[in-house]
Amino acid sequence: MISNRELFLKNTAQTSESPRLIEIEKAEGSYLYGPQGQKYLDLVSGFNVSNIGHRHPKVIQAIQGQLDKYLHVTVYGEFVQAPQVQFATKLLENLPSSFGSVYLTNSGAEAVEGSMKIAKRYTGRRQIIAAKNAYHGSTQGALSLIGGTQYQEAYAPLLPEIDFIEYNNLLDLDTITEKTAAVIVEAIQGEAGVRVPMAAYMQALRARCTAVGALLIFDEIQTGFGRTGKLFAFEHFDVVPDILMLAKGIGGGMPLGAFVAPKHIMDVIKANPMLGHITTFGGHPVSCAAALASLDVILEEKLIEDVERKAKLFRQELAHPKIKEIRGLGLMMCLQVENFHQVYSVSKYCADHGVMIDWYLHCETALRVAPPLTISDDEILEACQVICTAIDKFC
Ligand code: PLP
């Protein structure tokens, strides 16, 4: 019989020459399980998705409840679907009052596309500014925002009138002018290797956007839903963006994204022409039921309150002379080593010894550590021991 691994390589599209090829049969809590009894402590969380762990019972219950009612019924924005309405309402209750409207999408990239569209329509301007080394997704619009990387050249032509600033550099803010429709930045740059900006930078960025009438759009697709020790990372900086883009951890493991804006900004997609952003599956009712349950879990189980303490425990246990720096905020962490060979060898050793870690798209010299927020202290100790042994061996 042909194995699933062979069929994976033969029949499903490959995104690299060297996929990790780890086969998963089941996932529960902080663990992934393979078909031959392998057990991996998951420090990647499906790339910041499984913030409340895998298959949280309350999410499973919400999904099952929705399965008994309806699945897809129509395109987004026509029928009144309780899971969408209830989730959007709960989300807005937990955001500053300037936000008044939630558009639910399939993915992060779609949230980015929608945000760029409303920014252009609302301001009547065309220029969008993004940060070098950003990652906002893989559709052609979102890919246009990856400054100065090989992806831009490979898929040219991308969107016109995109300009770039250096992230966290106060001296670059003059690039933002009265011509700028929006500035799109990650609240913490993830794929650049977890770059946490200065609060003073975020505040100056906010002030500059306000002064020239440009919209400030934060990508919280990696940082949202408790990951950094606040429900949203912008809370660390005492700054409120005009538009917020969400995905990944939003759905408790189900596919969902959103862009959130003040109602008068969001309303521009209603007319001239109407239906300015259309999505068939965006805000799928099962995903929204899961998202509502997941947000309830984050808030009711007070997961955020323990994030900083767990992050400290990680930092204490990973204090190893060969780890040059641990960057990050809360449980969005990055262990800086010297080269990709070390990153690859350490990741492989860890996987072979039951701990899943990974690396970053624009920073191949650092290890990605982003466990479920529900990870226990014992699991943290166990994971750090394996990582330190691997660092001893390969760095
Ligand atoms: N923005 C950030 C910061 C991301 O990390 C990602 C995905 O990794 C995206 C946007 C795109 O999200 P999606 O893969 O759901 O399209």
Side-chain angles (χ1 to χ4, degrees), residues 216-352:
L216 179 59
I217 304 179
F218 274 2
D219 182 335
E220 292 243 21
I221 288 165
Q222 280 205 30
T223 50
F225 296 96
R227 170 61 53 195
T228 69
K230 304 268 186 198
L231 188 55
F232 299 105
F234 70 75
E235 298 167 42
H236 290 287
F237 310 124
D238 211 10
V239 156
V240 178
D242 297 298
I243 300 174
L244 185 62
M245 310 192 294
L246 304 169
K248 290 190 185 279
I250 192 174
M254 292 292 282
L256 189 67
F259 55 104
V260 190
K263 189 143 182 61
H264 64 283
I265 296 181
M266 191 68 88
D267 277 351
V268 295
I269 48 171
K270 281 199 320 201
N272 304 319
M274 64 192 273
L275 301 172
H277 188 75
I278 304 175
T279 180
T280 300
F281 285 128
H284 193 283
V286 180
S287 294
C288 286
L292 180 60
S294 175
L295 185 51
D296 279 341
V297 167
I298 292 171
L299 299 173
E300 283 164 16
E301 297 184 9
K302 302 201 186 307
L303 296 184
I304 296 170
E305 287 175 18
D306 222 13
V307 165
E308 200 39 54
R309 190 191 61 77
K310 289 180 182 177
K312 272 201 188 119
L313 186 56
F314 265 108
R315 283 170 182 267
Q316 177 193 307
E317 295 301 309
L318 291 172
H320 188 292
K322 292 284 174 61
I323 299 177
K324 294 165 139 192
E325 187 188 6
I326 303 179
R327 284 190 297 278
L329 208 49
L331 290 172
M332 180 173 177
M333 289 175 289
C334 163
L335 318 181
Q336 186 66 47
V337 290
E338 252 167 25
N339 54 50
F340 183 65
H341 179 68
Q342 293 179 347
V343 164
Y344 182 81
S345 308
V346 169
S347 306
K348 181 163 185 327
Y349 177 93
C350 286
D352 291 345

Side-chain angles (χ1 to χ4, degrees), residues 91-109:
L91 184 59
L92 289 175
E93 278 168 13
N94 285 282
L95 282 170
S97 59
S98 56
F99 290 107
S101 185
V102 181
Y103 192 117
L104 296 157
T105 63
N106 291 281
S107 66

Side-chain angles (χ1 to χ4, degrees), residues 8-28:
F8 169 86
L9 290 169
K10 181 167 172 279
N11 293 341
T12 69
Q14 303 300 302
T15 54
S16 81
E17 299 291 350
S18 49
R20 292 193 72 179
L21 287 176
I22 289 165
E23 198 171 339
I24 300 301
E25 192 166 79
K26 189 177 156 65
E28 191 91 50

